[in-house]
Amino acid sequence: MDVQPLLQRLQQTWHNTIPVSRFMEIVPLSADDGELKVAAALPSNLNLHQTMFAGSIYTLCTLTGWGAVWLAQELAGVQGDIVLGSADIRYLAPVTKEPVACVTYSAIEPDCLALGTKLKQTLRVTLWSDGRECAIFEGTFFSIPCG
C-alpha cells in the first residue's frame, strides 16, 4: 500500500491543528514496515547554543509517537481521539544537524476501537542527528473511541 497520501494527511493534520508543528517545520518522511520517521527543520528549532531546543525535541518525539498511533488507526480503518497519557525523555547528546525521530509501531486490532474500548499503546521514539542517538522518548498514548 502506498502510504504517501496518508503521510501528507498526517502532516496536514498536524499543521492545521497544532500550530507549533508548522513553525517547527515537522514533516513525516516515511512509513515502512511499521516504522515511522519524522523530521523537523533545525534552523526553526535552535536554542541559544545553536543546538536543538529541548522543548522542540520533546515536541518532535511526541508528534512522532502520536503520528504512529494515527497511522496505525488509518491502516486498520478505525478512528479514535489520540492523547498522550504520560511520557519520559532522556537527552543523550546535543542535536547539531537535522533531526529525525523514529518509532516502531504495531498494527492496531480494529475491533478494539470499533467495540468502544480505549486503546493503550506505549511507544519508544528515538531522535537521531548526524548518525547519533540524541534522545530517547517513551510515551504512553491512549486512543478513545470517537462518538
Side-chain angles (χ1 to χ4, degrees):
M1 174 185 192
D2 180 19
V3 296
Q4 276 311 117
L6 287 176
L7 295 179
Q8 290 171 350
R9 278 189 39 222
L10 175 59
Q11 181 177 334
Q12 289 172 348
T13 299
W14 284 336
H15 289 190
N16 292 337
T17 61
I18 305 167
V20 72
S21 69
R22 182 185 307 264
F23 179 79
M24 292 175 61
E25 300 180 61
I26 293 179
V27 177
L29 298 176
S30 64
D32 299 310
D33 299 322
E35 181 181 64
L36 175 64
K37 292 183 179 181
V38 179
L42 186 61
S44 299
N45 294 285
L46 291 175
N47 61 24
L48 68 159
H49 307 290
Q50 299 303 299
T51 60
M52 190 171 186
F53 175 61
S56 292
I57 294 170
Y58 191 92
T59 301
L60 177 57
C61 290
T62 299
L63 288 178
T64 300
W66 188 98
V69 176
W70 181 90
L71 187 58
Q73 286 181 180
E74 290 293 316
L75 292 171
V78 295
Q79 290 186 340
D81 292 323
I82 306 162
V83 297
L84 177 64
S86 64
D88 183 49
I89 191 165
R90 288 184 293 142
Y91 301 99
L92 306 173
V95 177
T96 58
K97 303 281 185 192
E98 295 301 312
V100 176
C102 303
V103 62
T104 301
Y105 63 93
S106 57
I108 288 177
E109 179 57 47
D111 292 341
C112 177
L113 290 169
L115 295 173
T117 304
K118 177 172 50 174
L119 171 77
K120 177 182 177 182
Q121 192 163 19
T122 300
L123 297 171
R124 179 185 175 116
V125 179
T126 305
L127 186 123
W128 295 88
S129 174
D130 200 28
R132 291 189 328 176
E133 188 177 58
C134 294
I136 298 172
F137 171 97
E138 292 185 8
T140 301
F141 293 86
F142 292 91
S143 186
I144 302 151
C146 294

